[in-house]
Each structure stands twice: as C-alpha cells, then as structure tokens.
Amino acid sequence: MFEPKRLHPIVIVLNIGKRIKDFVFTFIALFFIWNKGEGGKLVLIAVSAIAIIAIILTSILSWLRYTYRLEENELRIEYGVFVRKKRYIPLERIQSLDITEGILQRLCGMVKVQIETAGGSGKDEAEAVLSAISKEEARFIQEYVAAAKNRSVPEVEVYEDAPQQTVFKITPSQLILLSLTSGGVGVVISAVLAFLSQLDDFIPYEKLFRGVEQWAVGNIILIAIVVFAGFVVAWILALIGTMLKYANFNVMKTEHDLVISQGLLEKRQITIPLKRIQAIRINENIVRQWLGYGSVIVESAGGSARNKDGSKVLLLPLVKVQSIEQILKPYLTDYQWDPHFIPVPKRARSRYILRSWFVIVPIAAIAIAFFKMWGLVSLIFVVLFTFWGLLKYKDAGWSLEQQQLTLRYRNIVRTTVFIKKNKIQSLEVKESYFQRRKELATLEAFVKVGFGGAGGRVIDMEKSDVKKIYSWFSRDDEKGD
C-alpha cells in the first residue's frame, strides 16, 4: 500500500550517542589501563579511533537498513546491519502510540513514536520505535491505526482532527507544589551513587575515606555543613527536573482515548485507550495528604519491562483530592469517586503496631545494649514507627458499591485503588495462624496490566467482609466483558 520509508538522518546522531554511552565505561577503563608511556598512549589512541569509526559506520548502516511501511493492515519494519530482520505488527494489536520530542528531534522538526501492543510484549523494549519521523507522518500513522482498528482503513491521507475536550491542565502553582513535594531528592542521590559505584576500580575510595576520616575528627561542623549543602543541591536539581518533566502537562479526551502531553525540553505524548483502563489509583504522600492533594495514576493493559509508563501512567500529577470527582466523572462515568469506606476492625490495631516493630525494636534493643545511654535515642524511632503503624491501621479500608471494589491502604504513601468488577483478574485471600485466631484475613485484588500485575491489598480485614467480597466477585451473572 505504501513504499518503504526511512527515518530522518538525525537518527544517525542518536545512534552514535547511544553507542558511545554504552561504551563510555569501557573507554574509561582503557584510559586507565593503557595511558602509560608512549606505547600505551598510541595503543589507546588507535583503539579509540577504531572504536569511534566502527560506531559511526554501524550507526550509518543501521539507519540505511531500517525501513518501515504500512501494508495490508500491518506495520512492517525491516532492520539489521549484517542480519536482515523483519517485524510485522498487526494494526489491531497496537495498544498505543506514544510520541516524544527530544531536543535533537525538536531541532529537526521530528518526533519519536514508540509503539506498544495490546497486553505488552514483556520484553525490555517497546514493540517498535520510530526514532525520528515528521509530525505529519506520526499523525497519519496514529489516525491510520485508529481507522484500521475500527475496520475501516482509509485510502486517502487527509484527515479531520478528532474532537477533543480538555480534561486537565496543570497551573503554575500546581507545578511548583508538585516539584516541592515530589520526593525526587532520593532519585538524584541514588543516580549519583550509582554513577560513582561504576568507578570503584579507578577511584581509591578506601584510601580516600581513610584520609577523610582522619581529617573529620576536628571538623564535624564543617562536614555537617557540607552534607547539608549536598542535600540542598540534590533538592534543587530534583526540583528543576520535576518542573521540566511536568511543564505544560495537559490531558485531552478524544472519542476513545485519553491523550496526555507534557514536558518542556523533551515533549511527550501518551495515549491511553479508555477500554484498556484496568484500575485507577490515588496516591497521597504524607505531605500532600496533609495539604489535601494527591496524584491520580491509570493502570492500563499496555507497556513493557523497560517502558512501564505504558501500563502505569500519571493522569493527574497533583490535584486537590476533593476535586478529583469533578474533574474525571464527566469522562470516566462508570466509576464511583466518593465511596463509603469500611475500616478494618479495632482488634487489628495491635497487629499493625507489632508489624511496625519487627525491624526497629531489635535494632533499638541492640543499640541500648551496646551504647547504653546513647542507645536510648533509638527509642525516638520506636515511637515514630509506632505512629506509622497506627497511621497504616487508620488508613486501611474497603468499599463495595455496585460493580466496583475500592481498596485503601498505606505503605509509604496512602493509596486508594478503584477497580471495576469486570477488570479484576483474581482475588487472593490469605490467613495466617494468628489472623485465624482473631477472625481476620488479608484480601488482595489483581488486575492485568502490560507488564506484571497490579491492584491493591488490605491487611487484617474482617473475615466475614472478605467472604462477602469474594462471593460478590464469584457471581458470574454480574460480571461484564
């Protein structure tokens, strides 16, 4: 139906950058191994030059050999430098087309299209990626796939824009509050530590730390200032990163999909078919809960191991919890947004507290035994963990209304999960010996998403309530398709 097409030549630059990034630690290792004497330097230069030439040549050949086309209700992709490979993807299996615009793509007026198939592939990558095509071509593929899935493949390349409704658009104040409460400091620190761990063969950490330890004896205050400054810098980097990622966040509703666009430097567009939504969850960390805010996540039947965003998509990054029903009910009409929660019984409270003590109490006991008076400081953490256990007990609850099961629980953040009956894959009931003695049980609901499972779990529910929910789920006459 269509002639094979190549991607934009900017893909060559993208491939070169990706390959160099993959070999960067190899280059660093070669530098430390061979950067000794004139002979070693010559070998290093020669090997590096050969490697760079090979990377450039293979990147050019990869671009030349990569073609795609739409033909006979399939997206056909052929690629491979030395071994020619072909991948045919039936259009009706395509679950979503996610569009992003990196810096290089934006400079060339191109976009990247990531194709996810229904149910996910379970692989470490998307089903197919078109790294750089024109916006017009991306729009054409989107609408051609939509038409093919409706069994009415068009023969012309002219389309009218589908009617869209604005569901949500982030405001500057929401973006700032989102960044301030995102908790991205840990991600930044983890990334820095992960990078430094890759250099442990080249940096004498042990010798370095011994020197720092000797110097630190008389400079405790200075070290505290440096550590505090490091956390401030990490917090600022996380703040900037979050603002760049979620700037211009916008949710649109088309006839069959929710379309999310976001990003300042890298623009991204994610399409969520309404019929593929498996569950909706509201997450509230302790700060956002205190302020009355939360985030809404959609769990969808799509995605892959590497691109888990295809299955768990942030629909509303930050919004007043009380306004979620007003925002989403006109577009997700079959959900009950204000359920009446039934809490777990009072006799479960002691179990929640005991579970919070499993780790901290032994640590506190050891600290007191070895450090005497200083060890008593650990009792502060025992009190904090006890409070956390009480908080988890207070938040735990469930609701059963019409064709919807709603579960609420807390791990680090408080989570409320809304699941329609026809989307529940299975219910699992667990009873330990100690739970049976108190007529309690744990209920876990599973839904099918693109990679792995998802759902929710409430611990130490009333056993009779668990039986009631299981009986409701087992009635086939009430299940939909």
Side-chain angles (χ1 to χ4, degrees), residues 7 31 67 76 130-131 139 147 157 165 198 276 301 307 318 335 353 391 432 465-467:
L7 304 176
F31 176 82
T67 62
R76 299 187 175 186
L130 305 179
S131 301
R139 172 72 66 85
E157 300 188 16
Q165 299 172 285
Q198 301 296 321
R276 305 296 296 180
N307 180 39
L318 189 72
Y335 282 88
I353 296 175
L391 201 59
S432 68
D465 291 339
V466 173
K467 290 181 178 178

Side-chain angles (χ1 to χ4, degrees), residues 159-204:
Y159 299 89
E160 295 182 359
D161 291 338
Q164 296 184 340
Q165 299 172 285
T166 300
V167 177
F168 173 81
K169 188 172 184 179
I170 197 166
T171 63
S173 59
Q174 288 174 324
L175 181 60
I176 293 172
L177 185 58
L178 171 68
S179 303
L180 291 173
T181 60
S182 66
V185 176
V187 177
V188 174
I189 295 175
S190 299
V192 172
L193 293 177
F195 175 76
L196 293 177
S197 68
Q198 301 296 321
L199 303 177
D200 56 358
D201 293 332
F202 315 118
I203 299 177

Side-chain angles (χ1 to χ4, degrees), residues 400 421 427 429 443 463-479:
L400 198 62
K421 183 177 182 179
L427 289 179
V429 179
L443 177 72
K463 191 172 182 180
S464 59
D465 291 339
V466 173
K467 290 181 178 178
K468 177 182 177 181
I469 296 173
Y470 195 84
S471 175
W472 164 82
F473 174 69
S474 300
R475 289 199 293 269
D476 294 331
D477 57 315
E478 293 185 5
K479 291 185 183 181

Side-chain angles (χ1 to χ4, degrees), residues 179-447:
S179 303
L180 291 173
T181 60
S182 66
V185 176
V187 177
V188 174
I189 295 175
S190 299
V192 172
L193 293 177
F195 175 76
L196 293 177
S197 68
Q198 301 296 321
L199 303 177
D200 56 358
D201 293 332
F202 315 118
I203 299 177
Y205 287 120
E206 185 176 348
K207 182 179 179 181
L208 182 63
F209 286 143
R210 280 201 302 268
V212 171
E213 183 180 5
Q214 294 173 1
W215 172 80
V217 173
N219 298 275
I220 299 297
I221 296 177
L222 182 58
I223 290 177
I225 294 174
V226 171
V227 171
F228 177 76
F231 276 101
V232 171
V233 171
W235 178 74
I236 292 173
L237 291 175
L239 185 73
I240 295 172
T242 303
M243 295 186 73
L244 292 176
K245 181 178 180 180
Y246 294 106
N248 301 321
F249 194 98
N250 188 39
V251 182
M252 303 294 294
K253 163 72 167 57
T254 63
E255 184 178 1
H256 302 292
D257 306 317
L258 291 174
V259 181
I260 301 171
S261 58
Q262 65 183 81
L264 187 60
L265 293 180
E266 181 183 44
K267 292 186 177 181
R268 186 177 187 189
Q269 180 177 302
I270 303 173
T271 302
I272 310 172
L274 292 172
K275 66 179 181 180
R276 305 296 296 180
I277 293 177
Q278 304 297 300
I280 298 174
R281 65 176 63 236
I282 300 173
N283 286 346
E284 305 165 73
N285 65 31
I286 192 69
V287 176
R288 292 178 181 175
Q289 183 183 351
W290 178 63
L291 296 173
Y293 283 87
S295 58
V296 179
I297 297 172
V298 171
E299 296 185 348
S300 175
S304 61
R306 178 173 295 178
N307 180 39
K308 296 179 183 178
D309 286 346
S311 59
K312 296 185 179 182
V313 182
L314 190 62
L315 182 63
L316 305 179
L318 189 72
V319 67
K320 278 283 187 180
V321 174
Q322 293 180 347
S323 64
I324 291 176
E325 179 177 7
Q326 178 184 355
I327 295 172
L328 295 181
K329 191 170 183 60
Y331 312 101
L332 300 171
T333 57
D334 53 342
Y335 282 88
Q336 305 296 318
W337 296 103
D338 189 22
H340 174 68
F341 283 101
I342 299 175
V344 296
K346 290 183 178 180
R347 62 182 182 276
R349 178 169 51 194
S350 59
R351 291 181 49 80
Y352 275 86
I353 296 175
L354 287 173
R355 274 192 296 271
S356 71
W357 285 354
F358 280 163
V359 175
I360 192 60
V361 168
I363 292 176
I366 293 172
I368 293 172
F370 282 93
F371 300 105
K372 307 303 179 183
M373 293 299 295
W374 282 107
L376 293 175
V377 176
S378 62
L379 294 178
I380 297 175
F381 293 96
V382 175
V383 174
L384 292 176
F385 274 71
T386 302
F387 171 75
W388 196 256
L390 288 171
L391 201 59
K392 293 173 72 173
Y393 160 76
K394 181 181 177 181
D395 289 332
W398 64 278
S399 174
L400 198 62
E401 297 183 6
Q402 298 181 20
Q403 298 298 297
Q404 176 179 301
L405 173 65
T406 308
L407 302 177
R408 189 172 66 189
Y409 56 94
R410 176 185 291 278
N411 291 317
I412 297 177
V413 302
R414 187 171 81 168
T415 302
T416 305
V417 184
F418 303 85
I419 313 174
K420 302 302 295 183
K421 183 177 182 179
N422 59 353
K423 302 297 184 180
I424 299 176
Q425 292 288 312
S426 63
L427 289 179
E428 185 173 316
V429 179
K430 297 180 181 178
E431 294 180 76
S432 68
Y433 168 75
F434 297 102
Q435 283 179 316
R436 283 195 295 271
R437 290 183 60 183
K438 291 194 172 186
E439 291 292 314
L440 300 173
T442 296
L443 177 72
E444 190 163 7
F446 295 92
V447 297

Side-chain angles (χ1 to χ4, degrees), residues 5-15 62-63 66-68 77 98-115 128-139 141:
K5 297 182 179 181
R6 285 196 178 95
L7 304 176
H8 190 275
I10 195 63
V11 171
I12 298 174
V13 178
L14 294 171
N15 287 339
S62 295
W63 170 72
Y66 193 107
T67 62
Y68 69 96
I77 298 174
D98 295 343
I99 299 175
T100 58
E101 294 180 59
I103 296 176
L104 290 178
Q105 282 101 340
R106 291 178 67 183
L107 290 174
C108 300
M110 300 288 116
V111 296
K112 173 183 174 182
V113 178
Q114 188 162 282
I115 299 164
V129 177
L130 305 179
S131 301
I133 63 176
S134 67
K135 295 180 181 179
E136 294 75 16
E137 182 74 7
R139 172 72 66 85
I141 293 175

